[in-house]
Every structure is written in structure tokens, then in C-alpha cells.
Amino acid sequence: AARARNLFPYRIMLAMRLARVSATRCSTGYVNRFTAGLGTTADATTSSVETSGWLGRPETDSRPSNSEDTERGDVRTPADSDRDHFRENPSVALWNEWRFDGTPEGARALLLECASSARTPRDAAYWAYHVARSSWFLGQGAAGILASSLSGGGGPSGGGAPLAGDGSVRSGVIAGSRLMAEALQTFRQDLAHINAGTYKAPYDMDPNHRQFNPAFVASKTARFLTEAASTLEKNRAARRSESSPETKVWMDSPMYPDYYLKTFHWQTDGWLSSRSAEVYETSTETLFLGRQDAMQRTALVPLSEWMRERGVKDGAGAKFLELACGTGRFLTFVRDNYPKMDVTGLELSPFYLAEARKNGAYWEKLRRRKQSSPVGLVTETLSRVGGLAKAAGLPVPPVPSARRDDVQDEAGKETLGSCEYVQAQAEKMPFPDASFDAITCVYLLHELPPEARREVAKEAARVLRPGGVLILADSIQLGDRPRMDKNLGRFGDFNEPYYRSYIEEALVEVFGPEGAGLEPWTKDLCSSTKVLSFRKPE
């Protein structure tokens, strides 16, 4: 493990160099051969229900934009409603106009902009970490597609998918290069917030984090490859089938609403198995090429503003709720920024709730380890080993005692806020009225039928204290990024039955004054994610 950490800086440098070379190649040879609408002479990539992009996602992620994408006529979109009600932060205009420029000049300009943002060693460490991480997910995704291709007969003629859902190298290259460019822009936005003090750099950049352990990474990759082969084969089968394939999970229970008992995203067992919970984070980060965490951290922007406005430091005295916390990863980012805040994670799946508890416990362990000195940690480890040896009846030499300066006493240890986990529906929360100061809801709404969204809105408003803030982070909707509108709804084909209704629904009508009674506050965009915040009148 020590050797792996010593080699880590060199691996980062190598990953950045490979990423730079890959981007250059994609912007010259590959783009010239396989793309259109980007200053090349190739035929335009057409929109078709038979094609899909990276890891079976809709073609939105694999095709260049063209003028037809912005033709909406007089149709009013959710983004139009947002504009009338929310204070739009600069990220909204940025992503509304952002497009994938796959020309050599565009690729070079983006790389130069990213390089120019690395003004300090901390910035350089951020870029090294995230470029290496995205490069890893890029390779892992390609391996998953290859595994699916081999299990499905291999190659286009066998129904496989060497690089993308339609079996073409072209759409795979376009999807990968576009997503890498989008990831870089996402990281620029994330780093800007970190440098502005909006929130902290991600705690998992610490080399002591388990994700730098090769054995841990190998186990996650193995699970992903198995799941990717299964998921993509189900997606291909659904596209080939003339009738709707079976989407129910392995169990039935009156404890769960009918809409919940589905294999969303074609993932194994839906939300109802430990296998699903253990592979979920790896699958979604691979899908988004390592930018999911950065997109979700955008939800910390309005939370940070609300905390400053209220004069809340480190979250002390505040009570926080995350609806549908899933594996609890975002909850650890919240706790890392506001360690003294009392938090609650609500989740309907007991399997995902158990995973959230593990992630929370690991964050606490890592946090406390960082609070102790290296000498104290070594002494503590030696003491534990000595205790185990004595218990086994083995002779051991005396273990030196730690000096008081080397370890913190109980009074000097950081006091973390409480963390509770509750299994319940977001539509029927077991909390009294006005229980929480701040509530987040991340990537839930697009997986709810419209009537359930309204029930969640009412419940969130009920348990929120007057003056409190509700923050929604979910998929972009129609009008948020007009160039993507034409094909945005096709993500619903990836066994997302309520996605199309979600992207058409103005959330201000659900959560705002005419809905749950909350006041619209701010709006942010970050790549495929939009963040809306609401306040409860005092």
C-alpha cells in the first residue's frame, strides 16, 4: 500500500499526459473520421430511436448539436418558468449556451482554459485527481461495453456494442470525447466554487482514502463489469422486443408503492438488493465519466448561501434531512462541510440505507484519522496489534506510550453532529411538522410519477421549518440546455418510465406558492444537473 501511494503522483502525471494525448487525437484523427457538424466533411450523425450513446444513454450524449436542436417554436418549457421565478446564477447562462466543440481548436482552447485555472498547488492536485479519475471511468466504461459486447455475441452483427449502443465506433468515440469535454467544464465550475470558499474540496482526494487501495478498486470494477454486461443486454433486448419486457423486481410487498418495484435503469434487482446498492455508485460515476460527484456538489451552493445568511458555522445547531439518500455519498459531502450539523438520511430501500450507513461510518473514521497526528496513529496501531498478540498468548515487547502532544484526549476530539438513518417513503415521512432547517433531494424526482412528486413536495414543505431551505438537484429539463431538448426525453427509454413527464413539468408549479407553498429562490446548472432552491415563508 505504501509503495502504491509513493507511485501515485507519477500515475497522476501519466494519466494527465494520456488524457491530453487522447483529447488531441479525438480532436484530429478520430473526429475527422467519425463526427459531423463539427467543422468536418463527414455525414451528419442522425437522430434515430435505433441509436444510443455512451453506455446505452440516449444519443444526446453522442451526437453534435445542430441548428434544429434549438427549434422549440412557442412551446413554453420548464426553463421558461424558472426564468420567471428564480434568481438564476451565472452557471445557468453558461450551460444554456455551452456546446461540444470537437474541432482541434476547440479542444485546445478547453485544455488551455483548464490549465489556466490551476494557479496553485492545490488547484494542480484537484486537476490531477479528477483527470485521473475520469480517465479511469472512461477506461472502465469501455471495458464494460466490451464485456457486454462479448456476452451478447460480439460486434454489430451479433447484437453487441463495441463502443456504443448502436454498435458503431463513431458514436462511441463522439460520446466519449463529448463526455470528457463536458467533464472538464464541470470540474472547472466545481473548482471555482472550492476556490471561492463556497464548499470544501472533496474529502476523498486524501491519498489515505480507500479508493486509492488497488484491492478496493479491483472489487468495485469487477462488480461493475458484471453489472454492465447485464444492464446493456437488457437494454438491447428491450429495444429489440415488440412487446414491453418485464420490469418488475424479484419481490412484491405492500411496504413499497407499485412504481418503486421496477428495475430502474435495468439495474439488477432495482433498488432491492445489496448487490444493486454495492455497484450503484460505480455504475453512475462511470455513466457520467466521473463528474457525478461534482454535479451533485452544486446543491451545496444554495446551502452555503443559506448557512452564511443564517450565521451558521460548521452546521452547529442546524438540523438537515436528505430525502432518498441512496448510498449516502452526497450526505458525506454535506457532513464534511458542516461536521457539527445533525443530519438524517431518509431512504426507502433497506439495502441502500445499509450502504449509506457504511459510507457514513467510513467518512467518520477518515475524519477522525485526519484529526489525529501521524505519531499518534502509529502508536494506536501498535497498541492494537500488541493487544491482539497478548490475547493470543504471544510474547510482545513493551509498546511505547504516546506523548500527550501526539494524540488528542477525549475532551480535545472533534464533536460531530448526530447522524440518523430512517427507512420511509418521502411521500409519508415519520417526522413532526417543522423538524428540519434544510432539506436536499438529489436525483429522486425524475423517478417518481407526477402524483408522487406532488406528495413529496407537500411532505417536504410540512417538515421544513419556517425560514428553512429546500434544495432540489436532479436532471436538467426542457429548455435548460436547448441544444439537447430534441433527444433529452429518450433517456426514458433506459427503463426510466417517469422521466419524460419529469422533464416537461415546471417544478415551481409543484413546490412553489401554487403547489406546496414554498417560495422560489435560486437556480444553478452543472452539466446534466439542475439545482433549484426554495424557502419556506417565516
Side-chain angles (χ1 to χ4, degrees):
R3 183 179 300 171
R5 281 194 290 271
N6 290 335
L7 290 175
F8 176 72
Y10 301 101
R11 291 176 177 173
I12 290 294
M13 294 171 61
L14 179 60
M16 293 186 72
R17 182 169 296 180
L18 289 174
R20 190 180 301 115
V21 171
S22 298
T24 303
R25 287 179 177 174
C26 281
S27 65
T28 53
Y30 288 144
V31 171
N32 289 337
R33 291 175 58 195
F34 298 124
T35 67
L38 303 175
T40 70
T41 57
D43 293 335
T45 303
T46 59
S47 172
S48 169
V49 295
E50 297 302 323
T51 61
S52 57
W54 180 251
L55 288 175
R57 283 175 61 85
E59 197 187 9
T60 299
D61 275 348
S62 68
R63 59 187 289 278
S65 58
N66 57 52
S67 58
E68 294 181 359
D69 294 337
T70 59
E71 294 179 2
R72 300 198 311 268
D74 297 326
V75 177
R76 187 169 174 80
T77 66
D80 294 324
S81 295
D82 294 344
R83 199 169 297 113
D84 293 339
H85 295 90
F86 295 89
R87 188 192 79 211
E88 295 188 337
N89 288 329
S91 62
V92 176
L94 186 155
W95 286 103
N96 186 267
E97 297 299 326
W98 191 89
R99 61 164 292 175
F100 170 45
D101 185 352
T103 63
E105 294 76 14
R108 281 194 292 269
L110 180 60
L111 289 173
L112 287 174
E113 289 171 357
C114 293
S116 66
S117 67
R119 298 183 177 90
T120 68
R122 188 179 67 169
D123 295 344
Y126 176 94
W127 277 112
Y129 170 76
H130 283 87
V131 169
R133 192 168 182 264
S134 284
S135 299
W136 173 264
F137 284 118
L138 177 63
Q140 182 168 263
I145 295 170
L146 179 61
S148 173
S149 175
L150 294 175
S151 66
S157 62
L163 281 176
D166 65 348
S168 73
V169 175
R170 178 173 67 180
S171 62
V173 169
I174 299 172
S177 56
R178 177 191 183 278
L179 285 175
M180 181 59 83
E182 187 138 339
L184 293 176
Q185 180 62 52
T186 300
F187 299 148
R188 288 183 65 206
Q189 179 175 335
D190 189 45
L191 180 59
H193 281 304
I194 293 169
N195 286 336
T198 306
Y199 48 78
K200 297 178 181 178
Y203 70 91
D204 58 1
M205 286 176 57
D206 184 345
N208 291 312
H209 194 281
R210 61 188 175 188
Q211 68 182 0
F212 293 97
N213 183 326
F216 178 81
V217 173
S219 68
K220 289 291 186 181
T221 298
R223 287 193 181 98
F224 168 76
L225 294 177
T226 301
E227 180 68 9
S230 170
T231 299
L232 292 176
E233 175 52 36
K234 291 173 186 174
N235 189 48
R236 286 196 301 268
R239 289 165 54 199
R240 291 193 301 260
S241 177
E242 295 181 359
S243 59
S244 299
E246 180 59 52
T247 62
K248 282 188 66 65
V249 295
W250 61 276
M251 67 172 291
D252 202 351
S253 170
M255 294 176 58
Y256 304 105
D258 288 341
Y259 73 78
Y260 191 77
L261 300 173
K262 297 181 182 295
T263 54
F264 287 90
H265 326 132
W266 302 114
Q267 63 193 39
T268 302
D269 302 325
W271 309 118
L272 294 171
S273 75
S274 57
R275 173 182 171 181
S276 171
E278 289 171 355
V279 77
Y280 177 79
E281 290 174 13
T282 310
S283 296
T284 53
E285 276 288 33
T286 304
L287 180 68
F288 289 111
L289 219 61
R291 72 187 194 276
Q292 177 176 257
D293 282 350
M295 292 192 300
Q296 290 186 354
R297 282 194 290 270
T298 309
L300 296 174
V301 174
L303 182 61
S304 173
E305 182 177 349
W306 183 87
M307 288 285 188
R308 291 195 305 272
E309 179 186 300
R310 293 276 164 166
V312 179
K313 185 177 180 181
D314 292 334
K319 296 193 68 175
F320 173 88
L321 170 68
E322 183 179 6
L323 300 180
C325 68
T327 62
R329 182 160 175 82
F330 176 70
L331 191 58
T332 63
F333 287 119
V334 173
R335 298 184 70 193
D336 197 57
N337 280 269
Y338 305 102
K340 296 186 183 300
M341 185 163 60
D342 294 331
V343 303
T344 299
L346 181 140
E347 170 61 41
L348 187 53
S349 167
F351 305 98
Y352 277 69
L353 204 59
E355 195 69 14
R357 182 178 175 228
K358 293 177 186 177
N359 281 335
Y362 181 78
W363 172 81
E364 292 178 5
K365 176 182 176 182
L366 197 65
R367 176 91 181 181
R368 290 194 170 101
R369 182 178 182 180
K370 290 172 68 175
Q371 300 301 315
S372 301
S373 72
V375 176
L377 286 172
V378 171
T379 305
E380 181 184 359
T381 301
L382 289 173
S383 297
R384 292 185 178 183
V385 172
L388 291 173
K390 287 181 180 180
L394 300 175
V396 293
V399 177
S401 300
R403 300 193 308 269
R404 185 172 182 81
D405 293 339
D406 291 335
V407 291
Q408 297 175 330
D409 57 22
E410 289 298 322
K413 286 185 178 179
E414 179 185 35
T415 302
L416 299 176
S418 65
C419 182
E420 298 180 351
Y421 300 96
V422 176
Q423 184 191 12
Q425 287 182 239
E427 304 98 307
K428 301 175 182 178
M429 290 188 267
F431 308 120
D433 294 355
S435 294
F436 300 96
D437 299 288
I439 301 174
T440 58
C441 179
V442 180
Y443 295 172
L444 169 66
L445 300 179
H446 74 273
E447 292 178 345
L448 298 176
E451 58 275 14
R453 284 183 216 128
R454 283 166 170 72
E455 291 302 316
V456 169
K458 292 176 184 177
E459 275 291 271
R462 180 183 68 80
V463 303
L464 187 64
R465 290 173 177 168
V469 61
L470 170 67
I471 302 167
L472 311 176
D474 216 298
S475 166
I476 56 173
Q477 297 178 291
L478 293 177
D480 286 326
R481 297 183 61 183
R483 290 187 177 93
M484 298 174 67
D485 281 359
K486 188 174 182 180
N487 289 279
L488 186 62
R490 291 192 54 242
F491 187 57
D493 296 339
F494 206 64
N495 204 23
E496 286 278 10
Y498 312 112
Y499 185 76
R500 285 184 173 87
S501 69
Y502 162 79
I503 64 173
E504 297 174 353
E505 185 168 51
L507 295 178
V508 69
E509 298 176 2
V510 180
F511 291 86
E514 303 302 319
L518 302 177
E519 297 177 347
W521 188 28
T522 65
K523 176 178 179 179
D524 278 277
L525 294 180
C526 185
S527 185
S528 299
T529 297
K530 75 182 298 179
V531 175
L532 299 178
S533 65
F534 297 82
R535 305 283 290 267
K536 186 171 183 176
E538 298 194 55

